Amino acid sequence: MFCGRGKKSLFARLAYCAHCGKGMNYKNDREGYVCATYQKRGSKGCPSHFIRHDELKESVLADLRQLSGNALDRDSLVEKALKKANEKSNHALTELKSIKKKMQQLQQEQLELVRAMTRKMIDDDTFQMSNTALKDEQQALKARAAILEAVLSQGEANERIMQRFREEVRRFTELQIDGEEVLREVLQRLIDRIEIELDGGIVIHYNFGNPLSAGA
């Protein structure tokens, strides 16, 4: 059916045992998947568990249908998340520009301080006290600048994740699945792995990040 010569099962290299981490092998005679470790070593290697092909397929498709069915709501939420992220990045960028300008001013003040010391316009104690104050302020500004640069970098990363999430959901929503071969290609592209629990439950790990599930 799905494991003939030259053909792979629909969930080849996708279905894994949640207990031991090994792949789930398709068995033609049972029309379903069994843990590779159990198949090789018996219950000493991993508890026996089995899931029918049709049951696994329907569970996966149901999850994908729910994903695509919520595409519009998710797309709207992604837009809001992107807007919020952009606002945060804009604030960080504005503050970072202000800090860089202030640091240039401090460098100029430090240069003038050295000149004043060289020309004997101030004594050594005054120079040391003023120079220390300038260095402390510069260090504080550098620390704040590093935080803001991290915010900007994270904002760019989050935006890429959210954009990719939206594109993947939209791509699946618009896709017409005409047969098992096409479906297998879709599953391979969208899903990283499917873990089969001992009770037959499944956990799907997608190839793309869902920023909404992380509270973005």
Side-chain angles (χ1 to χ4, degrees), residues 4-209:
R5 184 172 302 225
K7 291 186 179 180
K8 295 180 180 179
S9 68
L10 185 61
F11 296 100
R13 296 183 180 179
L14 283 180
Y16 292 86
C17 171
H19 187 75
C20 72
K22 296 296 183 180
M24 297 286 289
N25 292 340
Y26 181 78
K27 301 291 292 179
N28 281 303
D29 57 341
R30 301 182 65 183
E31 296 186 350
Y33 299 83
V34 297
C35 170
T37 300
Y38 175 79
Q39 186 179 357
K40 183 178 180 180
R41 299 171 53 195
S43 58
K44 292 182 180 180
C46 190
S48 172
H49 57 297
F50 168 83
I51 186 168
R52 290 184 58 80
H53 171 81
D54 291 343
E55 180 184 346
L56 177 58
K57 178 181 175 181
E58 182 52 40
S59 294
V60 171
L61 289 180
D63 197 78
L64 288 171
R65 280 194 293 267
Q66 182 179 12
L67 185 68
S68 61
N70 293 335
L72 292 177
D73 290 340
R74 289 171 182 265
D75 199 56
S76 176
L77 289 174
V78 169
E79 287 291 350
K80 291 178 181 178
L82 282 172
K83 184 178 179 180
K84 184 176 180 180
N86 286 335
E87 288 176 354
K88 187 174 182 179
S89 294
N90 288 337
H91 286 312
L93 185 59
T94 298
E95 186 179 351
L96 187 59
K97 288 180 179 179
S98 177
I99 285 177
K100 289 182 177 180
K101 184 177 180 180
K102 180 62 177 176
M103 289 184 70
Q104 290 177 347
Q105 292 174 351
L106 291 176
Q107 289 175 353
Q108 184 61 35
E109 289 180 27
Q110 202 165 30
L111 179 60
E112 292 173 358
L113 186 64
V114 172
R115 287 174 178 170
M117 178 65 179
T118 302
R119 295 170 183 172
K120 306 298 183 180
M121 297 172 64
I122 57 175
D123 58 30
D124 187 63
D125 289 341
T126 301
F127 173 80
Q128 292 296 337
M129 183 175 63
S130 299
N131 192 45
T132 299
L134 286 171
K135 285 184 177 180
D136 288 345
E137 190 172 358
Q138 285 175 328
Q139 287 300 318
L141 289 174
K142 286 181 181 179
R144 179 58 182 167
I147 292 174
L148 293 172
E149 287 171 352
V151 169
L152 290 172
S153 178
Q154 186 60 50
E156 292 173 359
N158 286 341
E159 183 170 353
R160 287 194 296 270
I161 290 173
M162 286 185 281
Q163 292 285 13
R164 187 180 177 194
F165 172 77
R166 179 168 57 186
E167 290 168 6
E168 290 289 354
V169 172
R170 185 174 295 164
R171 241 189 274 177
F172 176 76
T173 304
E174 296 171 354
L175 187 64
Q176 296 295 320
I177 300 175
D178 299 322
E180 293 258 335
E181 281 300 311
V182 176
L183 177 58
R184 186 164 68 85
E185 291 178 9
V186 172
L187 296 181
Q188 291 286 342
R189 181 166 59 81
L190 291 180
I191 297 174
D192 176 51
R193 62 191 285 125
I194 303 168
E195 295 180 350
I196 312 300
E197 305 283 354
L198 296 180
D199 61 1
I202 69 170
V203 178
I204 302 175
H205 299 273
Y206 289 98
N207 276 325
F208 52 92

